[in-house]
Amino acid sequence: MAFNEHALQRHGPGLKLSDKIWQINWPMILLIGLIALVGFAMLYSAAGGNWQPWAARQAMRFGVGLALMLTVALVDIRIWFRWAYLLYAGVVVLLIAVEIMGSIGMGAQRWIDLKIIQIQPSELMKIAIVLALARYYHGLPQEEVTRPSRVLAPLVMILAPAALVLKQPDLGTAAMLIMVGGALLFIAGVALWKFAIVLVAGLSAIPIAWNALHDYQRQRVLTFLDPETDPLGSGYHILQSKIALGSGGLLGKGFLGGTQSHLNFLPEMQTDFIFTVLAEEFGLAGGLLLIGLYTLLFVYGFAIGFRSRNLFARLLALGLTCNLFLYVFINIAMVMGLIPVVGVPLPLISYGGTAMLAVMAGLGLLMSCYVHRDVRIPRRGLAED
Amino acid sequence: MPRSHDDQGRSRTFTRRALLVGAGQAGLLGLLGGRLYYLQVQESDRYKMLAEDNRINLRLLAPPRGRIVDRFGVPLAVNVENYRLLLVREQTPDFEATLEALSQIIPLNDKELARIRREVLRKRGFVPVTVRDHLTWRQVSRIEVNAPDLAGISIEAAQSRYHPQAAMSAQVLGYVAAPSQADLSDDPLLQLPGFRIGKTGMERIYDTELRGLAGSSHVEVNAGGRIIRELARDEGKPGRELVLTLDAGIQSYLHQRIVGETAAAGVVLDIETGDVLALSSVPSYDPNGFSRGLTAADWRDLTSDPLRPLNNRALSGLYAPGSTYKMLVALAALEAGVNPHHRVYCRGVVQLGNARFHCWKKHGHGWMDMHDALKRSCDTYFYDISRKAGIDRISEMSRRFGLGSPVGIGLEGEKAGLVPTKDWKQAIFGEPWQPGETLVTSIGQGFILTTPLQLAVMTARLASGRMVQPRLARGFLDDPAEALDNPSFPEMTVPEPHFQIVRAGMDAVVNHVRGTAYRRRIKEEGWEMAGKTGTSQVRRITLAERRAGVIKNKDLPWHRRDHALFVGYAPVYAPRYACAVIVEHGGGGSKAAAPIVRDVLTVTQRRDPTGAGARPLLAGRPVEDG
C-alpha cells in the first residue's frame, strides 16, 4: 500500500475516477467506433440490406464491448500487473479444459459454453500471453534479458498455449500466439541471434509439424500454394474471394451492390471474409481507407507504448498493438490470397461475439496503459515493495 | 545510478526495437495495399469477367412450335398444354410423407417411385423433379384441391405437340419426337430437356421454320445454382405457322373412305396448281403417341407390324399400274403413228412365239379401236399397239408423265418406281428384252412399278396436258408475300389431238354404258368424272388355272388377291381435280377402287377447295352444303 500512497502523491488527484475518465483518449474511442461502424455497414450489406441476422447483434455486442473496454481501461494498470500471471494461468487452464471436453465430445472443440456467452479461450490467450510476457520482462534487469536461461521461461510461456491451440486445431491462432510472443521478446530486447536459432529450429521442425497437421490443414496449405488447381474444392474460398475483390475495381460496385458476396459465392462472408464484401462494394478506395483507419489505430497503440512511463505498460501496449496488427494483417492477407486460409477474424468488423469481446478487452488494456501512462511500477513488483 | 543507466539502456533498446517492429508492420500494411491495388486495378478486368461468369446464367426458352394448318386455316398440328407434376424436395416438410400423400391421389407404381427417389437424391434440393407427365384434367384438379396438404408439389404447364386429326393425316404431317444423337446440331434448343423436333413428314421438312429461334433468359444465380432474379429476357422467335395445300375436310373424308381397307392409299390433286388436297395411307398411326413419348412396346408394335403403318403407301408403295397404264401406251402408239381408228380383233388370247397372252375377257371383245379398247380395257388391243410403239417409246412416254422417278414432293421414303427399257433389262439382267415383255408391260404388268402419287400426277397431266407438279405447302402465314405463287405448268410435248383421244376414252370408261366403271359414274350433272380402272395381278395365272377357270379374287387368300386401282379426274369437261386410289389386294379396280374415287371426287367438287379467281394464302372457306 505504501507504493500506492507514493504513486497517489506523485499523480495527485489523477487517479480519481472522474479524472481517469478525462484521461481516456476519446479520439481513439471515436476511431474504434468508426471502424466498428464500417463493420455494421458491411454486415448490413452481407445480409442483403438487412439488420438481421448480423448487423443488429453486432452493434449490441459492440455496445457491450465498449462498456467492457472502458471498465478495463479504468482499472488501475497495477492491478493488471498484479493479476497478469494469474490471468495467464487461468486461460491455460481453460485451454486444457476445452481440450479435455473436446476429447470427450466429438471433433474440434474451441468453445466453453457459459450459457449466456461462449468463451473461446484461444482468443483470451492472445491477451493473456501479452500480459504475462510484459510482466516477465518488466521484472527482468537488462543484463538478465540477454541471458539464455532467461529466454527459456518465456519460450515455454509462448509454446505451451500455442501447442494447446494447435491441437484444437487452430493453426491461425497458434501462429498468432507465436508471432505476438516473438514480437514481444524482440521488443523486450532478446538478442537477435536467438531469433535466428529459433528460426532455424522452426524450419527444421516443419517436416515434424507437417505430420502433426490435420488433413484439412495440409490441404489448406497446399491449395494456398496453388489455389486455382482446385477451383471447386479447397481453393474455392480463395478464388471466389479474389474474384469478388478483383471485380470491385477502383471504386467498387456501390453499397449493397456487391454481386459475388450477395450471391453466396463467398462462404463465411460475415466472419472471415467480411473484408471482401467491403472491397467488392467500395473497391480499392474503400479497402485502402479501412487499412488506413487500422493504421491510425496502430499508430495510437505505438504512441501509447512510447508515452508510458513503465516498462510493463510499454510492452503491454506494443504487444497488444502487434496483436491487433496480426489480426488485421492475417485476415486481409488471407482474403487476398497472400497466405493460406486460416480462421482469423477482422477485428471490430467480423461478426462474432468472442472475437469482439476479446478485441475490446485488448483495446481496454491499451487504453488502461494510456490512462495510467504516468504510473511507475518498480521492477521488483508491487506487493513485495 | 546504475538503475537509471539500466533503465536508459532498456529504454533505448525498447524504442529502437519497437520502431523496427513498427517499420515492419508498416511494410506489411504497404504489402496489403499493393496486393489490393494489383487485384483491384491491374487484374480487375479479368476478375470482373470471372464475376460475370459466376453470376450470370443463360437459360434457354423454347419458342412455341409453329402450327400447321390446312389451306383454310384448319389446324392440323397445334401445341397443347401438357400438365406436368413437379416436386421440389426442399419445399416439402417430409419428402416421403409427401410422396405417400401424393400416391393417394394419383397412383404411383413402384417403378415410378424408385425413379423419383433416385432423381431426388441426385439433384439439388431446389431442382424440380418430374413426378408425372401428361396429367389429365381430372388429376390436375384433384391435386389442386389437395394443394394445401402437398407442400413442394407444383403443376407446370408445358407445351406439347398435338395433331387433332391424329392418324388421319399422320402420313403427311409426320411426327415429332425427342432429338436423337444424330439430330444434334448447333441449335442449343435441341439440348433442352423435353424438346421435340420433327422426325418425319412436314414436321421434319419445315422443322427449322416451325421450330423458331430460341429465346433466352439471363438469370442471376447464386453459388448453389438457385435463380435469384431475371436480368434480361429475350423471348426468341416463335415458330412460323405453315399453311399446307391439304383440305382437312377432303383429307378426313378420303381417310375415312379407305380406312376400312386392310391397306390402301389415295391422293387428290388440284390439277391447276398441283396442290395436294388429300393424301392418305392406311394403316396409319397416331403421331401424338410420339409426341408423348412412345413406350418400347408401342414402338415394337409399330415397326413389327407386317402392314408397316409407318410407311406412307401413297408415295413409297410400289404397285404395278395395271390397266391404268394403258393411256400412256395409247399415247406412245399415237406418237409412233398408230391411227386411232386402227382396229384389232380381240379373241381373248394372242399367240406370240410360244407364249400365249390373254385378255382379261376370256372370250374376247371382238373388233376394237383405240376408244373402245380404253373404254372396255381390252388387253388384246394394247398387246397389238404396244408392239407397234415399242417398249422404249412407251417408257419414254411414261417418264414424261412422271413415272420412273420420284415426284419430288419432299416426304421421306418416296420411291422412284420402275419404268423398264431395253437397256435397263440388259444392264440389270444381262439379257435382251423379250418381245413378250413389251406385251406384259402394255397392260401395266411385269417390271413396271408405280406409286399412287405418281399415278395421280399422271392423271393430272393427262387431264390438263400440262406438266403438273404436286406440292404440299402453300407458304407461311406470317409472311403472305412468301406464299408460293400458283405455278403455271408448261405444256407437255404431246399433241392435243392425242390427249383428246385418250380423254375421250377415259370419259367413256365411266360415262358410257359399256365402260368398265359405268356403274361407278358420278351422276350429278356437271360433276361427272373420267377415269380408268386397273387391276394388277400379284400372282401368275398358270395355264392349268386358265383351263379350269381363273379363280375368283374372293376365293383367294387376301395376299394373293389382285390390287384394285382407279385413277380419275373431274369435272370431265373442265378438269380440276385428279384422284388416284389403290386398294391392296382389293380385287377388281372397278369394284374396289372406283367407288372410292367417285365419292372422293364428288366430295371434293362439292367443297370446291380451290374456289374461283385469285387465291390468297388461305383460300376462302367453301360454303358447306348439307
Side-chain angles (χ1 to χ4, degrees):
Chain A
M1 285 319 280
F3 176 83
N4 277 353
E5 295 302 315
H6 175 64
L8 257 172
Q9 280 158 16
R10 285 187 62 121
H11 291 279
L15 287 176
K16 269 205 287 182
L17 189 65
S18 56
D19 289 334
K20 274 191 183 177
I21 289 169
W22 277 113
Q23 289 298 322
I24 283 173
N25 190 334
W26 290 104
M28 186 175 146
I29 303 260
L30 196 70
L31 179 61
I32 291 166
L34 208 58
I35 295 173
L37 266 178
V38 172
F40 305 154
M42 288 347 286
L43 289 176
Y44 177 81
S45 173
N50 282 311
W51 287 106
Q52 300 301 335
W54 302 310
R57 291 190 68 186
Q58 181 82 345
M60 212 178 65
R61 283 168 180 166
F62 179 70
V64 175
L66 208 58
L68 176 74
M69 174 187 161
L70 290 174
T71 311
V72 171
L74 294 175
V75 170
D76 198 299
I77 189 90
R78 281 157 294 191
I79 294 184
W80 293 119
F81 178 82
R82 194 176 293 151
W83 288 75
Y85 285 144
L86 206 61
L87 282 170
Y88 174 81
V91 177
V92 171
V93 169
L94 285 179
L95 275 176
I96 294 167
V98 290
E99 181 60 35
I100 292 166
M101 276 157 53
S103 59
I104 292 168
M106 295 281 277
Q109 180 83 32
R110 298 179 187 179
W111 307 87
I112 289 178
D113 199 345
L114 297 180
K115 299 302 171 200
I116 21 169
I117 187 172
Q118 288 180 321
I119 289 180
Q120 204 172 350
S122 56
E123 286 295 322
L124 296 180
M125 181 48 84
K126 289 173 190 167
I127 295 168
I129 190 120
V130 176
L131 272 172
L133 287 172
R135 168 152 189 181
Y136 179 81
Y137 278 106
H138 176 87
L140 220 57
Q142 171 79 26
E143 58 275 15
E144 298 270 311
V145 171
T146 48
R147 192 177 292 172
S149 62
R150 288 299 190 177
V151 180
L152 215 60
L155 273 183
V156 172
M157 279 160 72
I158 296 166
L159 293 178
L164 281 170
V165 170
L166 191 63
K167 200 156 183 311
Q168 281 183 350
D170 186 347
L171 190 64
T173 306
M176 251 183 92
L177 286 176
I178 291 170
M179 283 188 277
V180 167
L184 213 66
L185 261 59
F186 177 74
I187 295 168
V190 173
L192 283 172
W193 61 267
K194 284 177 189 145
F195 282 94
I197 288 176
V198 170
L199 198 68
V200 170
L203 283 175
S204 58
I206 282 177
I208 302 162
W210 183 253
N211 285 329
L213 287 179
H214 282 245
D215 280 345
Y216 83 92
Q217 289 172 322
R218 284 185 205 168
Q219 195 55 48
R220 277 180 179 181
V221 175
L222 288 175
T223 51
F224 159 71
L225 295 174
D226 191 3
E228 310 203 356
T229 50
D230 187 17
L232 288 176
S234 304
Y236 182 82
H237 295 176
I238 296 171
L239 192 64
Q240 292 299 336
S241 175
K242 277 161 76 177
I243 289 173
L245 275 167
S247 64
L250 203 61
L251 294 172
K253 299 173 184 171
F255 186 50
L256 302 179
T259 53
Q260 302 303 293
S261 35
H262 287 175
L263 299 172
N264 292 348
F265 285 108
L266 216 50
E268 299 289 311
M269 59 176 165
Q270 78 280 15
T271 59
D272 292 352
F273 284 87
I274 191 77
F275 183 79
T276 311
V277 180
L278 174 108
E280 191 192 2
E281 297 192 350
F282 295 105
L284 181 67
L288 288 182
L289 193 72
L290 184 68
I291 293 175
L293 288 177
Y294 278 122
T295 309
L296 212 55
L297 193 60
F298 305 148
V299 170
Y300 265 109
F302 273 80
I304 290 169
F306 288 129
R307 182 70 183 70
S308 292
R309 293 265 177 121
N310 65 76
L311 190 58
F312 173 70
R314 288 178 155 215
L315 289 173
L316 187 59
L318 266 294
L320 290 169
T321 307
C322 283
N323 209 344
L324 213 55
F325 169 83
L326 283 172
Y327 269 117
V328 173
F329 177 78
I330 291 176
N331 179 274
I332 297 181
M334 167 189 80
V335 301
M336 293 197 298
L338 282 172
I339 59 166
V341 174
V342 286
V344 172
L346 193 60
L348 298 171
I349 292 189
S350 285
Y351 178 79
T354 321
M356 171 67 90
L357 292 182
V359 166
M360 290 307 275
L363 286 170
L365 275 176
L366 192 60
M367 192 59 82
S368 180
C369 294
Y370 181 77
V371 170
H372 307 95
R373 56 192 177 276
D374 289 328
V375 169
R376 285 183 181 276
I377 305 172
R379 182 184 299 154
R380 306 233 169 262
L382 300 163
E384 292 82 1
D385 262 293
Chain B
M1 219 162 108
R3 176 170 169 174
S4 148
H5 174 75
D6 181 40
D7 277 355
Q8 271 174 20
R10 293 196 72 176
S11 182
R12 265 206 307 279
T13 309
F14 172 83
T15 308
R16 198 173 59 240
R17 295 216 166 169
L19 283 174
L20 269 174
V21 168
Q25 291 183 358
L28 287 175
L29 288 172
L31 178 69
L32 289 186
R35 174 72 171 176
L36 209 54
Y37 176 82
Y38 170 77
L39 286 177
Q40 296 200 293
V41 177
Q42 291 199 316
E43 291 279 279
S44 185
D45 287 343
R46 184 178 147 231
Y47 286 117
K48 272 181 182 146
M49 217 170 66
L50 285 171
E52 284 298 294
D53 283 354
N54 247 353
R55 157 176 106 87
I56 308 291
N57 208 328
L58 184 76
R59 274 163 209 248
L60 279 181
L61 302 173
R65 193 173 173 82
R67 299 198 313 162
I68 301 178
V69 298
D70 85 341
R71 60 193 301 118
F72 301 119
V74 175
L76 298 174
V78 294
N79 304 308
V80 291
E81 299 276 275
N82 155 28
Y83 294 95
R84 194 183 290 167
L85 187 61
L86 301 175
L87 183 148
V88 181
R89 189 193 59 209
E90 69 172 23
Q91 287 169 10
T92 60
D94 177 356
F95 168 60
E96 284 298 330
T98 305
L99 264 192
E100 177 65 26
L102 197 58
S103 51
Q104 302 292 317
I105 300 165
I106 51 165
L108 295 166
N109 60 37
D110 288 346
K111 223 166 129 185
E112 280 178 297
L113 285 172
R115 178 190 59 82
I116 294 163
R117 289 202 183 92
R118 199 169 55 238
E119 277 194 46
V120 160
L121 276 180
R122 212 179 51 224
K123 290 179 175 168
R124 298 199 191 198
F126 58 86
V127 177
V129 167
T130 306
V131 175
R132 174 72 71 76
D133 243 339
H134 297 282
L135 295 176
T136 63
W137 256 115
R138 207 178 137 74
Q139 289 169 323
V140 169
S141 48
R142 287 193 68 186
I143 290 159
E144 294 290 0
V145 164
N146 289 287
D149 303 328
L150 295 168
I153 293 284
S154 61
I155 290 170
E156 188 196 66
Q159 291 203 318
S160 66
R161 197 61 158 175
Y162 179 67
H163 291 175
Q165 284 202 328
M168 237 175 242
S169 46
Q171 307 283 1
V172 175
L173 295 174
Y175 60 84
V176 298
S180 66
Q181 203 61 39
D183 295 323
L184 292 181
S185 67
D186 291 342
D187 193 341
L189 274 176
L190 300 186
Q191 311 276 2
L192 277 183
F195 194 77
R196 299 278 189 269
I197 62 165
K199 287 289 201 173
T200 63
M202 301 308 274
E203 295 272 22
R204 178 188 63 82
I205 298 167
Y206 293 97
D207 188 56
T208 320
E209 291 85 353
L210 291 168
R211 192 188 291 171
L213 287 176
S216 59
S217 161
H218 289 257
V219 290
E220 194 170 59
V221 296
N222 69 5
R226 186 199 302 276
I227 298 173
I228 305 294
R229 64 192 158 121
E230 191 170 60
L231 299 172
R233 193 180 175 91
D234 166 17
E235 288 295 346
K237 223 174 119 198
R240 305 174 70 187
E241 183 162 330
L242 177 66
V243 183
L244 296 189
T245 59
L246 292 186
D247 177 335
I250 300 172
Q251 175 74 18
S252 81
Y253 182 81
L254 171 64
H255 183 80
Q256 278 164 11
R257 197 63 185 73
I258 63 174
V259 77
E261 308 292 342
T262 310
V267 178
V268 183
L269 292 181
D270 172 3
I271 290 170
E272 196 171 296
T273 61
D275 285 359
V276 178
L277 297 171
L279 188 150
S280 188
S281 166
V282 292
S284 187
Y285 62 93
D286 183 1
N288 296 317
F290 285 90
S291 160
R292 275 195 293 270
L294 281 189
T295 65
D298 290 341
W299 175 249
R300 226 173 17 250
D301 287 350
L302 274 178
T303 48
S304 64
D305 188 329
L307 291 173
R308 302 178 59 203
L310 291 175
N311 193 29
N312 188 348
R313 295 182 146 68
L315 37 89
S316 55
L318 290 174
Y319 307 94
S323 299
T324 60
Y325 190 55
K326 284 175 179 164
M327 283 82 81
L328 303 188
V329 178
L331 286 176
L334 288 170
E335 201 168 76
V338 172
N339 189 313
H341 301 298
H342 164 72
R343 297 207 301 169
V344 172
Y345 189 82
C346 170
R347 287 184 289 110
V349 66
V350 173
Q351 186 82 30
L352 184 71
N354 294 327
R356 290 162 68 90
F357 295 87
H358 292 268
C359 182
W360 64 272
K361 196 169 172 69
K362 196 173 175 185
H363 302 295
H365 289 91
W367 283 107
M368 288 274 122
D369 66 2
M370 192 173 279
H371 181 83
D372 284 337
L374 279 169
K375 175 170 81 180
R376 302 182 64 185
S377 203
C378 172
D379 294 339
T380 310
Y381 185 84
F382 287 92
Y383 294 150
D384 181 78
I385 63 169
S386 69
R387 292 181 65 196
K388 295 186 165 66
I391 183 63
D392 284 348
R393 195 176 269 115
I394 293 171
S395 295
E396 195 273 329
M397 184 59 72
S398 307
R399 291 195 172 274
R400 271 190 250 173
F401 282 83
L403 305 188
S405 58
V407 171
I409 204 163
L411 293 174
E412 58 282 326
E414 198 186 324
K415 293 279 168 56
L418 178 61
V419 174
T421 61
K422 287 179 177 165
D423 291 346
W424 169 83
K425 173 90 189 290
Q426 188 68 45
I428 298 297
F429 292 92
E431 289 171 17
W433 182 265
Q434 303 294 319
E437 288 166 343
T438 305
L439 270 57
V440 173
T441 306
S442 75
I443 59 164
Q445 299 282 156
F447 296 118
I448 183 151
L449 289 171
T450 59
T451 68
L453 179 62
Q454 283 175 336
L455 291 180
V457 170
M458 175 193 82
T459 310
R461 289 181 181 183
L462 280 170
S464 65
R466 291 179 180 273
M467 293 290 291
V468 177
Q469 184 65 35
R471 60 175 186 177
L472 271 168
R474 284 174 72 83
F476 292 97
L477 196 60
D478 56 355
D479 192 357
E482 263 189 55
L484 301 173
D485 287 332
N486 279 333
S488 66
F489 302 117
E491 288 205 23
M492 298 193 67
T493 54
V494 174
E496 185 58 23
H498 293 185
F499 272 125
Q500 283 170 3
I501 291 161
V502 172
R503 286 181 203 139
M506 292 174 77
D507 178 8
V509 167
V510 186
N511 298 313
H512 285 195
V513 181
R514 303 192 74 178
T516 52
Y518 177 69
R519 288 195 296 159
R520 319 297 178 196
R521 69 192 180 281
I522 295 174
K523 288 167 185 157
E524 284 90 339
E525 204 173 327
W527 284 7
E528 295 93 341
M529 69 170 179
K532 182 74 194 78
T533 54
T535 303
S536 85
Q537 267 171 232
V538 293
R539 65 198 181 95
R540 188 180 173 81
I541 298 171
T542 60
L543 195 61
E545 186 184 331
R546 280 211 191 274
R547 287 209 183 102
V550 175
I551 303 165
K552 293 257 188 308
N553 267 308
K554 63 179 168 59
D555 299 325
L556 284 166
W558 179 77
H559 68 275
R560 307 250 305 150
R561 292 179 197 167
D562 299 334
H563 291 323
L565 295 96
F566 194 85
V567 298
Y569 61 87
V572 63
Y573 298 119
R576 188 63 214 250
Y577 304 110
C579 177
V581 164
I582 175 159
V583 179
E584 280 187 29
H585 309 292
S590 63
K591 227 166 82 191
I596 298 172
V597 173
R598 174 196 65 200
D599 294 347
V600 168
L601 282 178
T602 305
V603 166
T604 303
Q605 290 182 88
R606 184 177 297 141
R607 288 182 65 85
D608 195 21
T610 58
R615 244 165 269 103
L617 190 57
L618 287 183
R621 179 173 287 279
V623 180
E624 295 280 342
D625 60 336

